[in-house]
Amino acid sequence: MLMHNPPHPGEVLKELCIEPLGITVTDAAKGLGISRKTLSSILNGKAGISPEMAVRLSIAFNTSSESWLNQQSQYDLWQAEQHRNELHVTQLSAA
Amino acid sequence: MLMHNPPHPGEVLKELCIEPLGITVTDAAKGLGISRKTLSSILNGKAGISPEMAVRLSIAFNTSSESWLNQQSQYDLWQAEQHRNELHVTQLSAA
DNA sequence: GAGCCCTGTTACGTTATAGGTTACAATTCA
DNA sequence: TGAATTGTAACCTATAACGTAACAGGGCTC
């Protein structure tokens, strides 16, 4: 179970990939084969990392697509867990 | 890196949770607080497991929400990886 | 056979999100 | 000053996760 708020994957992408390489958002978007707006949205936490985007990132930065998508899942799941007690779900047992 | 086609999470849900308990899809849907159609779609591989659904499953079956969402991620990622060579992405390196 | 339950599925709707293009404003820098 | 960079807003499309209502078929039981 996750205990602390995981960072948005876009944050990690910016700090660990874009900034260290010293490349512009514009050039990174070109390399990724996506629009500058899409990358900007991700970097600023306005959009998530889709499965296809995870593959793109893995190619461009020679990383693991799993790590990117897992980061996104952890992030999404943490948000969902915040509303766990609002869900009307009952324990299920044998009939 | 995933090497083999992961099963659809709905398959796992059916075989490891619904069938062993001997409960009907209708009753399981009621317990989960979702419509029978939604559960049916998941069980038959027509829909994925959303973050919120992962939390519902974790409550109803006393399991880990992470495991459900991770299964879905693995499944989605495998699909995306099948088109890895169709993406126009270039390696990114220091400017 | 008649009735009932369970199931998958179709049709219709809403809502959210990823992605695109275009354009604008603000900033930085040569 | 002029060019580059960036975030963002407006507008579009496609996909997907939900819901309800309705239907058809299979199975079970009086």
Side-chain angles (χ1 to χ4, degrees), chain A residues 52 55-56 59, chain B residues 80-89:
Chain A
E52 182 184 301
V55 176
R56 288 182 188 274
I59 300 175
Chain B
E81 288 283 4
Q82 302 310 111
H83 306 99
R84 166 177 279 261
N85 47 1
E86 299 167 23
L87 305 177
H88 302 165
V89 183

Side-chain angles (χ1 to χ4, degrees), chain B residues 1 7-9 13 16-17 21 23 29 31 36-37 39 41-43 47-48 50 53 61 69-71 78 84 86:
Chain B
M1 191 179 359
H8 190 281
L13 177 58
L16 265 56
C17 297
L21 288 182
I23 54 180
R36 179 174 64 87
K37 187 221 166 184
L39 180 55
S41 296
I42 293 175
L43 294 178
S50 66
M53 192 64 66
F61 299 106
L69 200 55
N70 280 342
Q71 278 182 64
W78 194 86
R84 166 177 279 261
E86 299 167 23

Side-chain angles (χ1 to χ4, degrees), chain B:
Chain B
M1 191 179 359
L2 297 178
M3 297 310 290
H4 54 289
N5 192 336
H8 190 281
E11 243 179 87
V12 180
L13 177 58
K14 185 197 294 185
E15 295 170 11
L16 265 56
C17 297
I18 307 286
E19 290 179 348
L21 288 182
I23 54 180
T24 67
V25 175
T26 302
D27 285 345
K30 284 177 189 168
L32 286 164
I34 62 177
S35 75
R36 179 174 64 87
K37 187 221 166 184
T38 297
L39 180 55
S40 176
S41 296
I42 293 175
L43 294 178
N44 292 286
K46 309 293 177 58
I49 293 181
S50 66
E52 183 186 301
M53 192 64 66
V55 176
R56 288 182 187 272
L57 293 175
S58 75
I59 300 174
F61 299 106
N62 195 32
T63 50
S64 150
S65 59
E66 261 188 287
S67 68
W68 290 113
L69 200 55
N70 280 342
Q71 278 182 64
Q72 186 64 48
S73 291
Q74 306 277 306
Y75 182 82
D76 292 340
L77 191 52
W78 194 86
Q79 310 290 333
E81 288 283 4
Q82 302 310 111
H83 306 99
R84 166 177 279 261
N85 47 1
E86 299 167 23
L87 305 177
H88 302 165
V89 183
T90 63
Q91 288 259 153
L92 256 27
S93 45

